[in-house]
């Protein structure tokens, strides 16, 4: 059994006089008592809820906007302030430290540095060496003075009196708060936070974008039937589902195709305004056209409702909702009209045809071009391409696919700008001939090429004189009275 005895242990009797002597010496050095009174409130704007912001000399450099934060366990020196200090005799020690902010976010430091910090003035000036953790982050302050420095100074801070007091040579030194600097820092911080909030709303991050619910737009009976039929097709294919309490709701728009059929689109302009832009680059169409030169056979393919072949995340589906007279629906797949649909689809196709791109395949969004260097390679190029399509489950639209096309199934033209003796290509226009255009005569094909070019490059034709160069007898159209009415038109 152990026996515990209170009081001095043997051999400790001689320690008490030494302790008393050290205590008397310490009290002799700290003659004055740190206190705050009404006299410390002179020159302060009351009432206030301001934080304590002072100025100090760090490494012989006067530094303003030093925020005193007794809740911080370290002293923080921001990179922008560090760059303004003369550090010829100092070096940054690479120490990885992770900070945890009030909101739970993390920030990594760039390292630590030991610097001399001085507070006070005249005889009541005091200097200590302390460690600063360097952080590269935006801030209205230059330095955050934490418990590490405050303990080294043996300092006491009063936020109400806006002062820091510390013992110096038996007296009390002090530093008065720089109230105007704090209010300037506060105003800057508020402006920065407001700007961040606007950016968050503009980019639709963290769910802070305000949803927009549109009222149903009225169409005529014929267009309503087109919309109803299209909705039935999408429901049957599982590409949309009926939603009861939509957060976003857009109107449908009908666009007439060249063939005379109607395409149902959704007006996603409000949603697109709050979506960040995907900057994935699209291919340059002129370079793709140039890459097909010297190839004997070309095959044109079109993905069947290409955008609808990409699924949307479950929690994003209600954002692409639309309203019709038959109810409210939202897409389960990526829809035409979304801001980043083209960039996302181009990225997908580039990854799918990574091994073939440039060699025997060119891809522009949902248009796929198979190019065969020789006629004998045609079957092998088709087999490789269809194998890739089958591997990734990509579906094609048979009505828009043409295989083994040769210079008889299409017409094309170049817009060339002349500068002196040089001719520089500006634009390339091509058109795949359809029935009954395939039965046109050579003169008629030349005429349709000119008409398509004039429509495509209307702005050039209206603002500049243009000369048409061709090896056909196109000029006879205007002088021959026996020419067909279609060519005259």
């Amino acid at each position: 059994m152990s026996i515990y005895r209170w009081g001095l242990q043997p051999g400790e009797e001689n320690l008490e006089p030494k302790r008393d002597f050290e205590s008397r010496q310490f009290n002799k050095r700290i003659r004055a008592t740190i206190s705050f009174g009404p006299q410390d409130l002179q020159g302060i704007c009351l009432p206030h809820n301001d934080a304590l912001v002072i100025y100090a000399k760090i490494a012989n450099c006067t530094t303003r906007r030093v925020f005193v934060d007794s809740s911080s366990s370290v002293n923080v020196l921001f990179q922008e302030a560090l760059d303004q200090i003369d550090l010829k005799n100092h070096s940054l020690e690479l120490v990885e430290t992770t900070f945890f902010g009030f909101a739970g976010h993390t920030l990594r430091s760039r390292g630590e540095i030991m610097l001399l910090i001085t507070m006070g003035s005249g005889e009541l000036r005091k200097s200590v060496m302390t460690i600063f953790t360097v952080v590269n982050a935006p801030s209205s302050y230059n330095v955050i003075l934490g418990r590490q420095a405050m303990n080294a100074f043996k300092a006491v801070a009063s936020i109400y009196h806006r002062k820091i007091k510390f013992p110096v040579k038996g007296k009390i030194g002090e530093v008065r708060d720089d109230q105007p600097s704090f209010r300037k820092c506060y105003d800057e911080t508020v402006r920065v936070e407001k700007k961040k909030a606007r950016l968050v709303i503009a980019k639709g991050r963290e769910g802070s974008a305000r949803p927009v619910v549109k009222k149903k737009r009225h169409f005529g009976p014929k267009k309503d039937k087109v919309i109803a039929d299209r909705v039935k097709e999408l429901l049957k294919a599982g590409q949309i589902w009926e939603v009861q309490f939509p957060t976003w709701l857009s109107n449908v728009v009908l666009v007439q195709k060249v063939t005379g059929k109607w395409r149902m689109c959704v007006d996603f302009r409000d949603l697109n305004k709050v979506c960040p832009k995907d900057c994935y680059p699209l291919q340059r169409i002129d370079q793709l056209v140039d890459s097909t030169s010297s190839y004997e056979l070309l095959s044109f393919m079109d993905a069947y409702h290409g955008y609808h072949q990409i699924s949307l995340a479950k929690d994003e589906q209600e954002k692409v909702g639309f309203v019709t007279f038959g109810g409210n629906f939202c897409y389960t797949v990526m829809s035409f009209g979304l801001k980043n649909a083209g960039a996302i689809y181009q990225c997908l196709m580039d990854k799918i045809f990574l091994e073939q791109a440039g060699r025997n395949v060119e891809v522009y969004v949902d248009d796929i071009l198979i190019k065969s260097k020789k006629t004998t390679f045609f079957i092998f190029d088709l087999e490789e391409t269809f194998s890739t399509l089958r591997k990734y489950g990509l579906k094609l639209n048979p009505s828009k696919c043409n295989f083994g096309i040769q210079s008889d199934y299409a017409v094309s033209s170049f817009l060339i700008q002349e500068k002196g003796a040089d001719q520089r290509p500006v634009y390339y226009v091509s058109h795949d001939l359809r029935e009954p255009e395939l039965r046109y005569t050579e003169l008629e094909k030349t005429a349709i090429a000119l008409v398509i070019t004039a429509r495509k490059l209307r702005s050039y034709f209206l603002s500049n004189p243009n000369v048409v160069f061709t090896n056909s007898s196109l000029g006879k159209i205007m002088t021959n009275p026996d020419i067909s009415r279609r060519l005259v038109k």
Side-chain angles (χ1 to χ4, degrees), residues 3 166 302 438:
I3 298 177
F166 47 85
D302 185 86
L438 292 171

Side-chain angles (χ1 to χ4, degrees), residues 12 36 73 77 89 96 108 148 154 162 165 169 179 181 192 213 252 261-262 275 338 376 395 403 447 449-450 458 473:
E12 290 184 345
F36 297 88
S73 59
L77 178 61
N89 299 323
E96 290 190 1
R108 299 194 71 82
Q148 201 172 26
K154 298 182 176 65
R162 312 195 61 73
K165 294 188 178 183
K169 301 175 183 178
Q179 197 170 22
S181 289
V192 169
V213 177
V252 296
K261 294 183 179 180
W262 291 97
C275 289
L338 290 174
T376 53
K395 305 298 189 296
F403 300 97
L450 180 59
R458 181 179 176 84
S473 55

Side-chain angles (χ1 to χ4, degrees), residues 203-387:
K203 295 181 179 179
R205 293 177 179 173
E206 299 178 3
S208 58
R210 182 176 297 175
V212 178
V213 177
K214 291 287 188 179
K215 293 182 179 179
K216 184 179 73 69
R217 185 178 297 168
H218 294 282
F219 298 93
K222 291 183 179 179
K223 291 185 177 180
D224 282 341
K225 186 178 184 308
V226 173
I227 294 172
D229 292 342
R230 181 60 183 154
V231 167
K232 288 180 181 178
E233 292 177 7
L234 293 172
L235 283 171
K236 185 177 180 180
Q239 295 176 344
I240 62 172
W241 58 283
E242 191 169 6
V243 59
Q244 299 295 330
F245 303 101
T247 54
W248 290 83
L249 208 58
S250 304
N251 268 302
V252 296
V253 180
L254 288 179
V255 180
Q256 195 167 25
K257 301 180 181 180
V258 179
T259 58
K261 294 183 179 180
W262 291 97
R263 170 184 287 173
M264 189 188 81
C265 306
V266 182
D267 184 4
F268 287 122
R269 283 180 293 182
D270 294 310
L271 180 62
N272 288 336
K273 288 178 183 177
V274 299
C275 289
K277 181 175 176 57
D278 188 338
C279 296
Y280 189 87
L282 296 178
Q283 300 287 348
R284 290 189 58 179
I285 191 67
D286 55 338
Q287 291 182 348
L288 296 182
V289 172
D290 292 342
S291 69
T292 62
S293 62
S294 74
Y295 284 78
E296 292 186 359
L297 292 178
L298 301 176
S299 298
F300 298 94
M301 300 186 299
D302 185 86
Y304 183 72
H305 296 298
Y307 293 168
H308 289 179
Q309 299 190 42
I310 298 180
S311 299
L312 287 178
K314 184 68 175 178
D315 56 348
E316 301 292 333
Q317 292 177 7
E318 290 192 8
K319 295 178 182 178
V320 287
F322 61 93
V323 56
T324 71
F325 72 94
N328 301 324
F329 303 89
C330 64
Y331 279 98
T332 62
V333 293
M334 191 169 67
S335 173
F336 180 84
L338 290 174
K339 184 176 184 178
N340 296 314
I344 293 173
Y345 199 86
Q346 182 69 57
C347 179
L348 170 70
M349 298 296 275
D350 288 345
K351 291 181 178 179
I352 289 177
F353 292 101
L354 181 63
E355 300 297 328
Q356 292 182 252
R359 176 168 55 84
N360 61 357
V361 166
E362 300 292 348
V363 180
Y364 186 81
V365 193
D366 59 347
D367 293 319
I368 306 169
L369 170 66
I370 304 176
K371 52 184 185 179
S372 301
K373 198 74 174 178
K374 301 292 183 183
T375 305
T376 53
F377 299 160
F378 176 63
I379 299 299
F380 299 101
D381 293 332
L382 286 181
E383 285 181 349
E384 183 180 8
T385 304
F386 276 102
S387 176

Side-chain angles (χ1 to χ4, degrees), residues 382-451:
L382 286 181
E383 285 181 349
E384 183 180 8
T385 304
F386 276 102
S387 176
T388 302
L389 293 173
R390 195 176 298 109
K391 177 181 178 181
Y392 293 98
L394 196 64
K395 305 298 189 296
L396 298 178
N397 186 355
S399 64
K400 293 185 178 180
C401 293
N402 295 301
F403 300 97
I405 294 178
Q406 295 177 329
S407 56
D408 298 334
Y409 296 89
V411 293
S412 60
S413 63
F414 283 93
L415 179 64
I416 297 174
Q417 183 182 32
E418 290 188 343
K419 286 191 175 181
D422 295 335
Q423 291 184 339
R424 300 179 181 179
V426 177
Y427 211 96
Y428 174 81
V429 179
S430 65
H431 174 69
D432 185 17
L433 296 175
R434 306 186 185 97
E435 292 286 348
E437 295 171 344
L438 292 171
R439 297 191 296 271
Y440 283 2
T441 63
E442 290 298 321
L443 192 59
E444 289 173 330
K445 290 178 180 178
T446 305
I448 195 175
L450 180 59
V451 171

Side-chain angles (χ1 to χ4, degrees), residues 54-63 66 115-122 124-130 132 145 149 153 166 174-175:
I54 64 171
Y55 66 90
K57 187 169 285 188
I58 300 177
N60 295 322
C61 179
T62 301
T63 305
V66 178
L115 295 175
L116 182 71
I117 178 172
T118 303
M119 292 195 296
S121 60
L124 300 180
R125 183 173 65 237
K126 186 175 183 179
S127 302
V128 299
M129 294 292 293
T130 187
F132 290 89
L145 214 59
F153 272 96
F166 47 85
E174 64 179 35
V175 176

